[in-house]
């Protein structure tokens, strides 16, 4: 039973039948009550007619007794004669007449105040025998004497009729509920079938079949929307899995080279007897490769932490100008080695709320690349300025751009340079040390701060890397 109830379609059907049953029961009660009131109304109107007939038939006998002419009715078993309860009182409360059907019972005892008007007065009462009666009272003169006439009829027959109707409708209810249950389960099945199909399809999707999608029959309904959301989730999962596979294969590939190099250097060292200096050189080369490996693993760890969301940004407020100067001072020695000049121009003084070490690393990567890939004695220009970014609302953005006089980056590679392990034209880079992770880190750090990093190649050659970061207006100090 509990397994049956646990299915949504069965619960829906039960709810549907339950609510329908309640409404139906309410309807049956109201219909029976209305039927009773309608019959009572009809009885009331019949009583008015009867009252008028009775009023015309009342007369005083010569001895002063009040009587009712019976010869008006053709048959003695006339219904009015049989069922009518009749009582006539004098205005001082004496009973002048009671018909045989009423016997010694009374249709309300002494006259009440509301019975005093000349209009018909309607009221219900219960006789000593327990019978419910609808009584009509009227004050009127009979042969010059004012009397109170009360005509009553038992409401038992109409009560019985209404109860019969109620019983009949209640008897029909189970059949109506059965039909409702059947229809309800059909509707629930029809509505939930696509969900079962979706569940079946999704069950077959594994890590190796993430390219499969759930068919969307109607994108506008709730189930279609759910299919779209699931498909979207599958797409993101597929992308993540692909990235993970790429990452693993890239890492293995990148680790293999320095390891192979360490191995071959070691093998050379092991093959012959060398003098101590030669061994020191061999160990020195091996250590160089090891430190390259360590650097790469550190960078990979930073990327892995950043992408898994473990790295939290530790924001503080600092001057962009100072940050750029700090980054330049880190790279300056390398630039001086190549006789390059780093020219810094701060157009706007800006305070930024960001994670300072990450932003410094992002910037150092850009300037370091400019130094690495530009020829000797060239110039590297760094510019800090405020830009209005209409696309990002009214807030201002700070742009830090690094321009060099190097070989530039071809248009088709401008997006890919920010991918992990992407190195442009290995032969061109063969002289320059690097593993293709610097720009990936810069891209992550800038995006984590809500900014964008991009590259272009100006008409006069070289590369122009720009990072654009949002600045809160209060942190901004205009300086022209
Ligand atoms: P790495 O410098 O370690 O190779 P990066 O991620 O920093 O890795 O850069 C990726 C690639 O983009 C580099 O290998 C290089 O080919 C290209 N690149 C980056 N910066 C510049 C630049 N300023 N000028 C020319 N090429 C660049």
């Amino acid at each position: 039973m509990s397994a049956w109830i646990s299915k949504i379609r069965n619960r829906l059907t039960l709810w549907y039948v339950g609510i329908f049953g309640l409404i139906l029961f309410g309807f049956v009660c109201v219909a029976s009550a209305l039927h009773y009131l309608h019959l009572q109304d009809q009885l009331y109107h019949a009583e008015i007619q009867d009252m008028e007939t009775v009023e015309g038939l009342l007369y005083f006998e010569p001895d002063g007794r009040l009587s009712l002419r019976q010869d008006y009715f053709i048959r003695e078993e006339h219904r009015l004669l049989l069922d009518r309860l009749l009582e006539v009182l004098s205005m001082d409360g004496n009973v002048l007449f009671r018909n045989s059907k009423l016997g010694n019972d009374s249709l309300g005892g002494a006259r009440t105040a509301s019975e005093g008007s000349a209009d018909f007065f309607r009221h219900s009462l219960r006789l000593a025998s327990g019978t419910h009666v609808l009584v009509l009272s009227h004050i009127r003169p009979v042969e010059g004497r004012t009397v109170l006439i009360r005509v009553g009829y038992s409401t038992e027959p109409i009560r019985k009729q209404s109860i019969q109707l109620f019983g009949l409708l209640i008897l029909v209810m189970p059949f109506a509920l059965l039909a409702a249950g059947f229809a309800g389960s059909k509707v629930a099945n029809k509505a939930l079938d696509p969900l079962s199909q979706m569940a079946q399809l999704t069950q077959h999707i594994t890590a190796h079949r993430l390219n499969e999608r759930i068919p969307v029959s109607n994108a506008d309904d709730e189930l279609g929307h759910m299919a779209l959301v699931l498909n979207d989730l599958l797409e993101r999962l597929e992308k993540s899995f692909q990235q993970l596979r790429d990452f693993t294969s890239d890492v293995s590939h990148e680790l293999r080279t320095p390891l192979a190099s360490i191995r071959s250097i070691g093998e050379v060292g092991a093959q012959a007897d060398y003098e101590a200096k030669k061994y020191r050189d061999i160990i020195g080369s091996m250590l160089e490769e090891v430190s390259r490996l360590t650097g790469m693993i550190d960078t990979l760890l930073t990327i892995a932490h950043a992408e898994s969301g473990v790295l939290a940004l530790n924001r503080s407020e600092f001057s962009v100008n100072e940050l750029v100067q700090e980054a330049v001072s880190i790279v300056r020695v390398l630039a001086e080695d190549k006789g390059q000049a780093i020219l810094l121009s701060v157009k706007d003084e800006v305070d930024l709320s960001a994670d300072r070490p990450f932003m410094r690393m992002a910037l150092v990567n850009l300037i370091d690349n400019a130094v690495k890939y530009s020829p000797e004695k060239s110039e590297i220009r760094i510019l800090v300025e405020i830009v209005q970014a209409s696309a990002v609302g009214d807030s201002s953005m700070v742009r830090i751009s690094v321009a060099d006089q190097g070989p530039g980056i071809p248009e088709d590679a401008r997006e890919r340079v920010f991918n992990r392990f992407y190195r442009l034209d290995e032969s061109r880079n063969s002289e320059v040390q690097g593993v293709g992770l610097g720009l990936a880190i810069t891209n992550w750090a800038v995006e984590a701060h809500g900014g964008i990093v991009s590259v272009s190649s100006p008409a006069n050659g070289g590369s122009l890397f720009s990072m654009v970061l949002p600045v809160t207006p209060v942190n901004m100090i205009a300086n022209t």
Side-chain angles (χ1 to χ4, degrees):
M1 178 68 179
S2 67
W4 187 84
I5 291 282
S6 65
K7 285 197 167 181
I8 289 186
R9 61 189 68 209
N10 298 336
R11 284 208 304 271
L12 270 181
T13 311
L14 267 187
W15 272 104
Y16 178 66
V17 170
I19 291 171
F20 182 70
L22 273 179
I23 294 174
L24 202 63
F25 182 71
F27 171 77
V28 166
C29 292
V30 170
S32 307
L34 284 178
H35 178 252
Y36 176 75
L37 290 176
H38 174 69
L39 289 181
Q40 211 183 40
D41 230 37
Q42 278 187 341
L43 185 67
Y44 170 67
H45 285 107
E47 278 187 15
I48 291 178
Q49 276 183 0
D50 194 35
M51 174 69 88
E52 278 163 355
T53 311
V54 165
E55 284 169 0
L57 297 176
L58 283 172
Y59 68 98
F60 282 100
E61 302 268 5
D63 58 2
R65 275 190 304 118
L66 189 65
S67 285
L68 183 75
R69 230 175 273 127
Q70 299 282 12
D71 52 7
Y72 176 80
F73 302 101
I74 303 161
R75 295 174 196 284
E76 281 212 341
E77 57 288 347
H78 196 284
R79 195 180 150 255
L80 291 179
L81 280 181
L82 291 175
D83 295 344
R84 179 199 296 141
L85 302 166
L86 178 63
E87 182 179 69
V88 184
L89 301 180
S90 66
M91 293 314 280
D92 50 17
N94 290 327
V95 179
L96 300 177
F97 180 84
R98 264 184 193 146
N99 70 349
S100 55
K101 172 90 179 162
L102 185 60
N104 285 329
D105 238 331
S106 166
L107 288 180
R111 181 168 71 92
T112 61
S114 41
E115 275 184 302
S117 74
D119 248 348
F120 295 111
F121 175 71
R122 169 184 175 167
H123 55 122
S124 300
L125 55 86
R126 207 169 161 188
L127 296 181
S129 59
T131 317
H132 291 270
V133 181
L134 182 70
V135 180
L136 195 66
S137 311
H138 195 209
I139 292 175
R140 190 210 131 114
V142 174
E143 294 176 359
R145 284 172 66 183
T146 308
V147 293
L148 170 69
I149 308 166
R150 286 171 175 164
V151 171
Y153 281 95
S154 163
T155 52
E156 289 309 320
I158 60 173
R159 195 181 284 258
K160 238 184 228 160
Q161 263 191 47
S162 298
I163 289 173
Q164 268 171 4
L165 178 74
F166 179 77
L168 192 76
L169 292 177
I170 290 289
L171 272 181
V172 172
M173 253 183 80
F175 298 102
L177 289 182
L178 266 179
F182 182 70
S185 84
K186 284 268 167 234
V187 172
N189 280 344
K190 203 168 162 38
L192 293 172
D193 268 353
L195 207 64
S196 311
Q197 283 169 13
M198 234 185 262
Q200 263 175 12
L201 278 169
T202 321
Q203 245 171 6
H204 292 119
I205 297 178
T206 59
H208 302 290
R209 294 172 64 182
L210 281 174
N211 58 334
E212 289 188 14
R213 295 289 176 269
I214 299 163
V216 182
S217 48
N218 180 4
D220 291 331
D221 68 14
E222 287 82 350
L223 291 173
H225 179 68
M226 190 173 159
L228 283 178
V229 171
L230 280 175
N231 282 344
D232 199 42
L233 175 77
L234 285 172
E235 200 162 320
R236 275 180 283 141
L237 275 178
E238 190 187 4
K239 237 187 216 163
S240 302
F241 267 75
Q242 192 52 45
Q243 272 178 357
L244 201 70
R245 270 185 225 122
D246 291 351
F247 187 67
T248 318
S249 78
D250 287 346
V251 170
S252 338
H253 183 260
E254 291 302 320
L255 289 179
R256 194 182 292 151
T257 321
L259 283 174
S261 167
I262 292 169
R263 185 192 175 125
S264 62
I265 298 169
E267 276 170 359
V268 170
Q271 267 166 18
D273 284 337
Y274 294 113
E275 55 200 59
K277 185 181 172 305
K278 178 77 177 167
Y279 280 120
R280 268 201 296 278
D281 285 350
I282 288 171
I283 293 168
S285 304
M286 287 170 92
L287 285 177
E288 218 170 86
E289 289 301 329
V290 168
S291 74
R292 203 164 104 92
L293 258 178
T294 317
M296 192 168 83
I297 288 167
D298 283 349
T299 317
L300 280 173
L301 270 177
T302 311
I303 291 185
H305 280 155
E307 289 189 347
S308 64
V310 176
L311 274 187
L313 294 182
N314 191 5
R315 285 181 190 264
S316 62
E317 213 161 288
F318 53 86
S319 146
V320 175
N321 183 14
E322 279 174 21
L323 179 84
V324 178
Q325 284 186 5
E326 197 181 323
V328 170
S329 69
I330 294 172
V331 186
R332 196 176 292 281
V333 193
L334 300 170
E336 279 168 2
D337 279 354
K338 291 178 82 176
Q340 293 165 330
I342 301 181
L343 308 170
L344 170 60
S345 149
V346 180
K347 209 170 153 201
D348 300 300
E349 277 280 354
V350 182
D351 274 2
L352 191 67
S353 166
D355 189 304
R356 193 177 173 130
F358 279 134
M359 288 320 299
R360 187 180 51 216
M361 183 159 63
L363 202 55
V364 167
N365 287 348
L366 292 189
I367 308 172
D368 182 48
N369 277 352
V371 171
K372 277 197 301 187
Y373 298 106
S374 303
E376 291 185 358
K377 299 198 171 46
S378 58
E379 275 181 0
I380 294 154
R381 292 179 178 275
I382 303 172
L383 175 67
V384 178
E385 61 185 332
I386 286 171
V387 284
Q388 294 296 328
S390 54
V392 201
D394 290 336
S395 68
S396 299
M397 314 282 279
V398 58
R399 177 162 58 207
I400 309 168
S401 38
V402 180
D404 62 40
Q405 296 174 329
I409 293 183
E411 204 170 336
D412 59 338
R414 282 183 201 157
E415 270 192 27
R416 276 178 293 154
V417 284
F418 296 103
N419 291 350
R420 282 179 305 228
F421 297 114
Y422 183 80
R423 299 201 79 205
L424 212 121
D425 187 5
E426 278 292 342
S427 59
R428 175 169 106 180
N429 289 337
S430 56
E431 297 295 303
V432 185
Q433 281 226 349
V435 284
L437 290 173
L439 289 181
I441 288 203
T442 299
N443 189 39
W444 169 79
V446 174
E447 279 186 358
H449 286 85
I452 300 168
V453 59
S454 60
V455 61
S456 61
S457 281
N460 54 352
S463 314
L464 175 68
F465 280 88
S466 306
M467 11 195 287
V468 182
L469 292 151
V471 181
T472 26
V474 278
N475 295 334
M476 203 179 79
I477 313 154
N479 180 20
T480 45

